[in-house]
Amino acid sequence: MPRDRMFNLQRRERLMEELRRHGAVRVKELAQTLGVSELTVRRDITALAEENLLTKVHGGATLPTQLGPEPRRQRPAPTRFTIGMVVPSLDYYWPSIVTGARTAAASLGVHIQLRGSSYDPEEDRRQISRLIESQQVQGLLLAPSLEGDGVDEMIGWIGNLPVPTILVERQTPRWTPTLRQLEWVRSDHSLGLEMAVRHLHQHGHRRIGLVLSKGSPTSAHLARGWALACADLGLPDDMVIREAVALDAPGHREIIDNILRRCRQSRTTALIVHGDPDAMSIAQYCAEQQVSIPDDLALVSYDDEVAHLAEPALTAVRPPKSQVGRVAVELMVGRLLEGRRRSSQRVLITPELVIRESSTPRPFR
C-alpha cells in the first residue's frame, strides 16, 4: 500500500474515533489534534461523508444519525446472535468501549444486551445471572471485579457458565481449571505506561514520579510497565504514590501538597498520573501554588477522557477503548460461528500517546 494512502487511512480512522467519542467534531480542533491543516481535515470529512460514515455540517461533522434524514447505506445484516455485556460503569471510561462494541455488532448483525454493574462481585454475579436466566444470549462480554479473596471462585464460576465468555479489559492467569479457557481482550496498559516514561525521558527528565489510582484493576499493569521502563532506561523507580487526589477525594489538597514536597526534595521534574481527574486536580493545585506546567513540573495523564480540558491541556495515554469493544464482539462472533474448532484467543491492543502542552518544553520567545 502506498505510504500516502496508508497515512490517509490512519488519519481518517482517528477522525472517526474522535467522532464516535464526542458525537460531533469541529474542523479547527481536529486539525490541531491530528497535526494537519484544516484543508486536509475538510478533505477527509468529504471522503468519509461520501461513504455515508458521517454527516458534514458547517465547520465540522456529526454522526449520521444525529442530523437530518438517515443517509443511504447498505441494509444491515439480519440479527444472528444476541450477546450480553456487563460493564462496571456506564459513565467514565466504559461508554467508549460500549460504543465500539455496538459499532461492531451493528455491522455483524448482532444485538447487544447491556447491563451496568458497580465494581462489586455480588452485583456482577447478579447481572450475569439475569442474562443467563433470560435464555436470550448466546455469549457474554464481561468486565467483572477480579480483586480480593474471591478471585479464583469468580473465575471458576465464569469459566463454567453455559455460554461462551470473553473478558473485556480484564484477564485471567495463563491457565484456569474451568470448562473452557477464558478469552480476553484488553488495552496493553503496561506498554502505555512505558510510552509515557519514554516520552518524558526523551524530553530530558531523569527523575519521574508515578501517581497510581487506588483500587483500580489497571494499577497493577501500570506498575509493571513503570518498573520495566525505569529498569530499561536506568531511571530510579522509587517515586510511586498510591493515593486518590481527584477533587472529590477527601484531603486531596494535603496529599497533593505532600506529593509536590516529595518532588522538590527528590528533584523529580515530571509526574505520570492515573487518571484524568487526579491529573487535573494536581494541575489545578500547581496553578494555585505558582508551580508552572511544564516548566517546573511536566504532567502526563493516563486515560485521556477529559485531559484536553485541563489548563494547560494534558499530554495523555489513551487506551484503545473503542477498539477493545469492537475486537471483543468480533472475537465472540467468531467463537459462536466456529465453536470449539477455533483456538482460544487473548488479545492486547496498543494505547496511543497524545502529546499536548503539559509535557513539552515551551518554545523560546
Side-chain angles (χ1 to χ4, degrees):
M1 179 184 294
R3 287 175 61 86
D4 56 346
R5 184 183 174 195
M6 179 181 68
F7 292 148
N8 286 344
L9 292 174
Q10 292 173 342
R11 189 177 61 250
R12 289 170 188 175
E13 172 61 25
R14 176 74 184 280
L15 188 156
M16 289 302 301
E17 181 181 340
E18 291 292 317
L19 186 56
R20 285 189 289 266
R21 291 181 72 223
H22 302 291
V25 292
R26 296 180 59 81
V27 169
K28 184 175 181 180
E29 294 170 355
L30 271 176
Q32 295 174 347
T33 299
L34 301 177
V36 297
S37 68
E38 293 184 19
L39 178 60
T40 297
V41 173
R42 290 192 186 95
R43 287 173 176 169
D44 287 342
I45 288 175
T46 298
L48 292 168
E50 290 173 354
E51 299 178 30
N52 291 330
L53 294 174
L54 53 74
T55 298
K56 292 175 62 176
V57 297
H58 180 69
T62 68
L63 290 173
T65 56
Q66 288 190 290
L67 186 71
E70 181 77 8
R72 291 196 310 170
R73 62 183 68 184
Q74 292 182 345
R75 182 176 298 174
T79 300
R80 294 181 290 181
F81 303 113
T82 297
I83 299 173
M85 187 173 190
V86 180
V87 298
S89 170
L90 294 174
D91 46 25
Y92 193 83
Y93 194 95
W94 290 92
S96 294
I97 293 178
V98 172
T99 298
R102 284 177 165 163
T103 299
S107 65
L108 294 170
V110 172
H111 175 63
I112 290 183
Q113 285 195 15
L114 179 66
R115 297 285 186 274
S117 187
S118 58
Y119 294 96
D120 176 68
E122 291 305 313
E123 183 63 19
D124 292 339
R125 283 185 182 244
R126 187 176 301 112
Q127 296 301 331
I128 295 167
S129 297
R130 286 181 58 199
L131 288 168
I132 293 293
E133 290 165 3
S134 71
Q135 298 185 347
Q136 295 178 350
V137 299
Q138 289 80 52
L140 290 169
L141 305 180
L142 304 178
S145 177
L146 297 179
E147 304 290 329
D149 298 332
V151 173
D152 291 340
E153 182 184 354
M154 174 64 88
I155 290 174
W157 182 72
I158 291 173
N160 289 290
L161 290 171
V163 298
T165 300
I166 292 176
L167 300 183
V168 181
E169 289 290 27
R170 302 287 186 268
Q171 75 174 69
T172 61
R174 294 180 62 185
W175 182 86
T176 53
T178 56
L179 179 64
R180 60 176 67 86
Q181 290 303 298
L182 289 172
E183 301 179 273
W184 47 258
V185 180
R186 71 168 179 84
S187 305
D188 193 344
H189 297 299
S190 178
L191 178 58
L193 201 285
E194 285 191 64
M195 294 163 64
V197 173
R198 291 180 183 278
H199 164 70
L200 292 169
H201 183 267
Q202 288 172 356
H203 284 281
H205 297 281
R206 297 297 181 264
R207 289 287 306 185
I208 304 171
L210 175 64
V211 180
L212 288 176
S213 176
K214 275 188 173 181
S216 169
T218 304
S219 294
H221 303 302
L222 299 181
R224 188 175 303 114
W226 166 259
L228 289 171
C230 289
D232 191 45
L233 296 170
L235 300 177
D237 62 358
D238 55 321
M239 183 68 170
V240 179
I241 300 111
R242 298 177 184 270
E243 293 284 0
V245 294
L247 293 175
D248 59 352
H252 72 277
R253 293 179 61 85
E254 292 78 10
I255 297 172
I256 296 173
D257 190 65
N258 288 333
I259 291 172
L260 295 182
R261 185 180 301 112
R262 286 187 60 181
C263 288
R264 289 191 295 271
Q265 292 171 349
S266 62
R267 298 186 179 180
T268 295
T269 58
L271 286 177
I272 303 169
V273 185
H274 179 221
D276 286 1
D278 296 72
M280 293 175 74
S281 180
I282 290 176
Q284 182 170 309
Y285 188 83
C286 284
E288 294 176 10
Q289 302 299 314
Q290 285 77 52
V291 176
S292 175
I293 297 173
D295 299 326
D296 298 327
L297 184 70
L299 273 184
V300 176
S301 179
Y302 196 97
D303 265 357
D304 202 32
E305 286 281 329
V306 290
H308 63 288
L309 300 178
E311 180 60 43
L314 299 178
T315 291
V317 179
R318 176 185 295 168
K321 300 163 197 151
S322 62
Q323 291 95 322
V324 167
R326 292 203 300 269
V327 171
V329 169
E330 291 165 359
L331 281 184
M332 178 57 73
V333 171
R335 168 62 61 200
L336 293 173
L337 290 174
E338 300 176 41
R340 295 184 179 274
R341 296 193 305 263
R342 201 199 68 182
S343 300
S344 297
Q345 298 186 42
R346 296 175 171 183
V347 180
L348 287 174
I349 305 179
T350 303
E352 176 187 6
L353 179 67
V354 182
I355 299 175
R356 301 190 180 99
E357 301 169 28
S358 69
S359 68
T360 55
R362 293 177 181 173
F364 178 79
R365 294 181 181 177

